[in-house]
Amino acid sequence: MGGFTFDLEACARPNIVALQPYRCARDDYKDDGSNTLLDANENSYGPSLSMDLSVDHEIGGRTLRLAGLNRYPDPHQIELKQLLCNLRQPSDPLATLTPDNLFVGVGSDEAIDGLIRCFCIPGVDKILVCPPTYGMYTVAAQVNDVEVVKVPLEVEGVSPSFDIQPAKIREKLESDPRIKLVYICSPGNPTGKLVDPDRLKAVLECNWNGVIILDEAYIDFASHGKSLAHWVNDYPNLVVMQTLSKAFGMAGIRLGFAFAPPGIARLLNNLKAPYNVSSLTSTLAAHAVSKTGLEVMGSHRELILQQRDRLVRELPKISRIGRFLGGYDANFLLVEILNSPRSIGGQPDNEAARAVYSQLAEAKGIVVRYRGNELGCTGCLRITVGTEQETTKLLAKLEEVFREDR
Ligand SMILES: Cc1ncc(COP(=O)(O)O)c(C=O)c1O
C-alpha cells in the first residue's frame, strides 16, 4: 500500500529516535498490592481528602478507589488501550489493532503537540494544514517554532466541497522535504464534513517521507462511513487521532488517543510525560467505552442528531439565515448570516455575523462561535448542537436578535 518510501528513523527527530524513555521501578516490579511501595516518593498516608476513603465507588463494574490516589497512575494504560482497540474493531475477526498501536494522552491536543515534537526540528521543519481547520495544529506548531504550510480545502465555486485537494497537497509535499506532518481533519472543524477516503488515499500515496495525521475527533457523529483507525496497519505513515471529548461527552476528563503504526506509537509513548493520564481519567474512560458506556453514548448521540436535523429544518425558516456550508457529519453546523433577508438578495456578511454573535452572547445568554474570518466561511457562525431545550432557546433568541436589528 501507500507510504511506500516511508522511513521512520529518517523522518523522526534523531534525538527522539535515540531517546531512552523514563523508567520507574514499577516497570520492573508491578503494583499488584503485594509489595510495600517505597520507590516513588509518594505519600503512604494517603490523599488529602476528608471524605470516607474506605468507600470504593463502583462505576459500571469498575472500582474508583479514592484511597489509591496517593499512588502514581499506570504509565502504560494497557487495559484502556485494549478497550479503545475493541471500540474501533468491535467484532472483526481480522482485527489487527493492538495496544501497541496506541498513544493515550491529555486530550487529542497532547497528541497534536507530541507528534510535532516527535517529528519536527524547531526552526527547521514544517507541518501542512488544510484551512479552514482546527486552530490547535497551528498553535502547537508555533509553540514548537515550526512553520505552517497551508493547502486550503476546496472552497471555490457556488457550492464548495470543503474536501482536501490531493494534487495540490502532493505538489507541496513532493517539492519540500522539510514538511514532516500533514494534519487532516475528518469530519472537519469548522466544516462538519467527512473527507473522501479516496482523496485521503491519494495523499497517503505521495512519494514523500512524512506522516499524515487524520483527526477524527467528531467521527461518531458522521452520517455515513466510519473510523479509518484500522488503516494505520495498512499505511506505515498514518496516525488517526480520536477523543472522548465529543460524542462521549467526557471533555472534562481530558482523554485523547492516537492509533498509529507500532513504531510511531512507540516514539510518542517514549517522549510523553510518564504519568500523563490520571487514574481518575483512565477509570472513567474505561467505563465510557465499555458496553454500558457505549449505550449511553449511543442514546446521547441519537438525541444530538435529532436536534441537528431540527436545526437543519428550522434555521432556514429565519429570513436572515443563509446556507449551511460544509457537511452534516459533526455535532455542529456552519451557517451563513445574511446582511438582509434572503428574499431581497441578502449576502453572507462578516459584520452581520459578528453582530449576531455579540448580540446572542451579550443580550441573550447564548454563546456560539464566530468563524467569518476562516477561509471560505464569510459570514459564518459555527453552532454546536445542544439539548432540545437549548435548541428551542437558540431558535427563539436568534429570531429576536434579527427582529431587534430591523
Ligand atoms: C478537530 C478537533 N480535534 C481535536 C480537538 C481537541 O480535542 P481534545 O479535547 O481531545 O483535546 C478538538 C476540540 O475542539 C477538535 O475540534
Side-chain angles (χ1 to χ4, degrees):
M1 287 240 199
F4 47 88
T5 59
F6 188 63
D7 176 348
L8 177 58
E9 298 220 342
C11 183
R13 288 167 68 190
N15 56 316
I16 302 297
V17 173
L19 184 69
Q20 288 299 318
Y22 181 82
R23 279 187 67 79
C24 49
R26 277 167 235 175
D27 286 329
D28 303 321
Y29 304 103
K30 296 288 167 223
D31 173 14
D32 59 4
S34 64
N35 291 318
T36 300
L37 298 173
L38 301 175
D39 59 305
N41 303 342
E42 297 152 334
N43 184 331
S44 296
Y45 286 93
S48 301
L49 296 171
S50 59
M51 62 275 242
D52 181 0
L53 298 185
S54 65
V55 178
D56 286 341
H57 297 262
E58 289 300 320
I59 302 180
R62 275 160 219 286
T63 307
L64 186 64
R65 284 191 61 244
L66 294 180
L69 290 179
N70 58 330
R71 300 293 172 196
Y72 282 106
D74 174 4
H76 307 296
Q77 300 291 343
I78 302 299
E79 188 196 347
L80 175 59
K81 287 177 178 175
Q82 184 59 59
L83 291 170
L84 295 170
C85 293
N86 301 349
L87 173 70
R88 294 306 174 202
Q89 48 184 14
S91 53
D92 182 352
L94 300 175
T96 53
L97 292 171
T98 74
D100 287 344
N101 288 114
L102 267 161
F103 163 81
V104 290
V106 184
S108 27
D109 286 345
E110 185 180 351
I112 293 170
D113 178 72
L115 284 156
I116 293 178
R117 288 193 292 137
C118 192
F119 289 97
C120 298
I121 301 172
V124 174
D125 289 329
K126 307 176 189 175
I127 66 163
L128 187 148
V129 301
C130 303
T133 193
Y134 182 46
M136 277 305 289
Y137 313 139
T138 294
V139 172
Q142 285 168 347
V143 167
N144 288 290
D145 192 16
V146 164
E147 197 180 313
V148 179
V149 175
K150 295 178 182 170
V151 177
L153 298 178
E154 214 162 56
V155 296
E156 292 84 17
V158 190
S159 174
S161 77
F162 283 102
D163 210 330
I164 54 170
Q165 308 195 76
K168 291 187 180 167
I169 295 175
R170 174 186 292 257
E171 201 183 301
K172 285 277 186 220
L173 298 183
E174 295 185 351
S175 65
D176 189 349
R178 296 279 37 130
I179 301 175
K180 292 295 189 67
L181 304 177
V182 177
Y183 284 91
I184 295 174
C185 194
S186 177
N189 175 4
T191 65
K193 172 95 195 274
L194 270 179
V195 164
D196 172 2
D198 287 335
R199 293 192 188 208
L200 180 66
K201 264 187 200 158
V203 177
L204 283 162
E205 278 157 16
C206 288
N207 188 3
W208 156 78
N209 201 39
V211 177
I212 310 292
I213 298 137
L214 184 68
D215 184 344
E216 290 189 333
Y218 299 96
I219 193 65
D220 292 301
F221 296 111
S223 47
H224 61 279
K226 53 183 170 80
S227 169
L228 300 180
H230 58 285
W231 280 22
V232 302
N233 283 326
D234 296 332
Y235 293 95
N237 62 338
L238 174 65
V239 173
V240 178
M241 295 192 303
Q242 297 181 357
T243 176
L244 295 192
S245 298
K246 308 297 178 183
F248 286 89
M250 307 280 283
I253 70 168
R254 309 302 300 127
L255 196 284
F257 42 108
F259 294 97
I264 296 181
R266 192 175 326 110
L267 293 186
L268 288 173
N269 284 314
N270 286 354
L271 94 105
K272 80 177 177 67
Y275 308 113
N276 61 333
V277 173
S278 81
S279 13
L280 294 176
T281 290
S282 63
T283 304
L284 291 167
H287 179 56
V289 299
S290 70
K291 187 167 174 292
T292 48
L294 280 170
E295 281 165 13
V296 178
M297 184 275 261
S299 66
H300 287 172
R301 174 178 54 193
E302 207 39 53
L303 295 171
I304 290 169
L305 299 188
Q306 279 170 18
Q307 293 310 309
R308 187 178 75 190
D309 290 349
R310 179 176 166 212
L311 282 172
V312 170
R313 278 194 317 273
E314 297 297 324
L315 280 173
K317 295 181 185 165
I318 302 175
S319 67
R320 283 197 35 211
I321 295 287
R323 298 171 305 171
F324 293 107
L325 296 191
Y328 305 99
D329 295 315
N331 64 336
F332 54 82
L333 294 167
L334 186 63
V335 63
E336 290 174 336
I337 304 297
L338 309 180
N339 51 9
S340 58
R342 241 183 348 264
S343 55
I344 58 165
Q347 292 300 310
D349 181 76
N350 278 355
E351 210 179 307
R354 208 186 270 284
V356 171
Y357 165 74
S358 310
Q359 275 297 101
L360 274 180
E362 289 163 24
K364 310 293 176 191
I366 298 184
V367 184
V368 297
R369 195 86 200 266
Y370 171 71
R371 294 283 81 181
N373 291 340
E374 300 295 311
L375 192 74
C377 301
T378 301
C380 279
L381 297 181
R382 191 195 68 198
I383 303 178
T384 305
V385 180
T387 62
E388 183 178 357
Q389 291 80 352
E390 287 169 340
T391 305
T392 303
K393 179 174 170 189
L394 169 75
L395 290 166
K397 298 294 176 190
L398 256 180
E399 298 235 34
E400 274 177 36
V401 166
F402 289 127
R403 216 177 305 126
E404 290 160 10
D405 189 41
R406 273 194 203 133

